[in-house]
Amino acid sequence: MQAFTYLSPTEVVFGKDTQCRTADYVSKYGGHRVLVVYGGSSVQKSGLLEQVCRLLDAAGLPYQTFGGAKPNPTLNHAQDGIRAAIEFQADFILAVGGGSAIDTAKAIAIGTANPAVDIWEYWSGQSVPAAALPVGVILTISAAGSETSNSAVLTNLATGSKRGLSSDLNRPKFAIMNPELTYTLPVYQVACGVTDIMMHTLDRYFNPLDNELTDAIAEALLRTVIASGRVAIGDTHDYDAMSELMWAGSLSHNGLTGLGGQPDFAVHQLGHELSAMFDTAHGASLATVWGSWARYVCKTRTARFTRYAKNVWGLENADETALALAGIRATEEYFRSIGMPTSFGENNDVGVQPDEVVLDLAYRCSFQRTRTIGSFQRLDEKDIAQIYKNANH
Ligand code: NZQ
Ligand code: ZN
């Protein structure tokens, strides 16, 4: 087991009606003037935004709303939010929504605390932020895990690049998680969320090291998400299934399922380029390339893939290679069964691409040939291009 530190300081407030306690938690974590950050119209349609505003009013907490975070949220929009927060003299950022609203809130929190810095300097790795305003979350979709993660992902439309910033400053102070708030999700978004939750665990599970407890936690989480995902796709109002997904979403991306290992995250890097170029939903971008990645790397450590096939999918086969491939096939069949694409051609936002586009994706994913990705198997631009090519049908 590799040495690690584990910090997961977010106070999780889980269960029905927990959003009613929003104002108490804002005050508990030092908020006096609140910028309420949300995405599109879903929180208006559901009445959640209005409820939150009423609660802040009743508690005497001045607030201003800032909507418009799009899926794959942009740097420009976050910069508008920073200006709004500074003008309003906000001292607390409250995200109401999913990963896109939460990541925008995190970016605003960092930008407002460092007003002299262009925040892309942080997201592009040129410098490291030293301060952020506190962020609280009311979660409406089980997917990105941003409600407890140390990460925030932004797309820079000017450069066409999608980048994450990992910093403990990004850990929200609290996350209010009422599974009933996810009942209004379109089935496609539930499926994207299920995929992303699985992938946060798979991108840690497929790594060069074995760690019995961590691996067993990861397998249990995967089995639970697969089963609950099936139920949730059939009925988004199933409280138990939506609860399991919500809790799994947080645990899959707060670090727990990778402790002691060397997280890989190659599939996330491959997916980010697809989202940056084609604006495809994050979960769908991951399903599009996972099978191609898995087949490309499975010879590196077949035993890890056979363990996965046995413990997650309940498969058996005396032939190691056949068993490993059966586990990969089972994963892809599951993705298709919940409406997720498993190739460029199945992804309506992407489609089958000419070779030059595939090569450009690989060039971008290698950060213009300045990095490799992955730890399970280290992948350079040539490997990345082959993985994209194998998914391009
Ligand atoms: O924008 P609105 O109108 O709210 O609609 C959203 C959006 O269209 C809708 N939605 C959310 N809750 C709903 C709802 N519709 C009806 N009822 C509800 N209760 O769902 C759509 C997707 O929302 P979004 O916030 O984009 O989803 P998600 O949580 O999947 O976030 C995706 C973003 O997070 C990033 C992704 O790259 C992507 O940009 N990630 C962030 C991570 C992190 N910060 O740790 C890690 C992830 O790996 C990921 O990269
Ligand atoms: Zn993800």
Side-chain angles (χ1 to χ4, degrees), residues 4-6 8 148 171 196-207 209-223 225 247-265 304:
F4 62 84
T5 61
Y6 179 51
S8 188
T148 56
R171 304 264 188 197
D196 196 18
I197 296 168
M198 287 174 66
M199 214 60 71
H200 291 151
T201 301
L202 292 171
D203 268 353
R204 292 177 166 93
Y205 181 82
F206 288 101
N207 84 93
L209 302 175
D210 293 313
N211 287 294
E212 187 47 42
L213 178 58
T214 295
D215 292 342
I217 291 172
E219 288 159 357
L221 193 147
L222 287 164
R223 287 193 302 269
V225 172
W247 188 217
S250 294
L251 291 184
S252 81
H253 204 35
N254 75 353
L256 178 69
T257 59
L259 294 180
Q262 292 170 6
D264 178 271
F265 275 95
R304 168 89 348 187

Side-chain angles (χ1 to χ4, degrees), residues 89-259:
Q89 297 183 320
D91 62 6
F92 195 94
I93 314 294
L94 177 65
V96 185
S100 298
I102 302 169
D103 288 2
T104 302
K106 290 177 175 180
I108 293 172
I110 286 181
T112 307
N114 302 277
V117 181
D118 169 1
I119 59 164
W120 193 247
E121 275 190 24
Y122 300 138
W123 264 258
S124 58
Q126 294 166 56
S127 59
V128 176
L133 294 190
V135 171
V137 171
I138 303 174
L139 187 65
T140 65
I141 173 173
S142 309
S146 185
E147 66 278 6
T148 56
S149 82
N150 70 346
S151 165
V153 186
L154 291 179
T155 297
N156 182 336
L157 294 175
T159 60
S161 40
K162 184 172 179 179
R163 297 276 188 279
L165 169 70
S166 296
S167 160
D168 283 327
L169 292 172
N170 276 329
R171 304 264 188 197
K173 298 295 179 202
F174 65 82
I176 288 179
M177 293 167 41
N178 172 1
E180 288 184 331
L181 297 178
T182 66
Y183 284 0
T184 49
L185 277 168
V187 167
Y188 180 75
Q189 289 299 337
V190 175
C192 284
V194 164
T195 306
D196 196 18
I197 296 168
M198 287 174 66
M199 214 60 71
H200 291 151
T201 301
L202 292 171
D203 268 353
R204 292 177 166 93
Y205 181 82
F206 288 101
N207 84 93
L209 302 175
D210 293 313
N211 287 294
E212 187 47 42
L213 178 58
T214 295
D215 292 342
I217 291 172
E219 288 159 357
L221 193 147
L222 287 164
R223 287 193 302 269
T224 305
V225 172
I226 290 162
S228 303
R230 280 198 187 100
V231 177
I233 293 293
D235 177 9
T236 63
H237 287 55
D238 186 301
Y239 184 78
D240 289 331
M242 296 314 254
S243 299
E244 298 289 355
L245 290 182
M246 196 169 237
W247 188 217
S250 294
L251 291 184
S252 81
H253 204 35
N254 75 353
L256 178 69
T257 59
L259 294 180

Side-chain angles (χ1 to χ4, degrees), residues 196 200 268 282 286:
D196 196 18
H200 291 151
H268 265 75
H282 175 61
L286 304 172

Side-chain angles (χ1 to χ4, degrees), residues 73-87:
T74 65
L75 170 67
N76 285 354
H77 183 67
Q79 287 168 331
D80 289 344
I82 293 165
R83 281 188 283 277
I86 291 172
E87 202 171 297

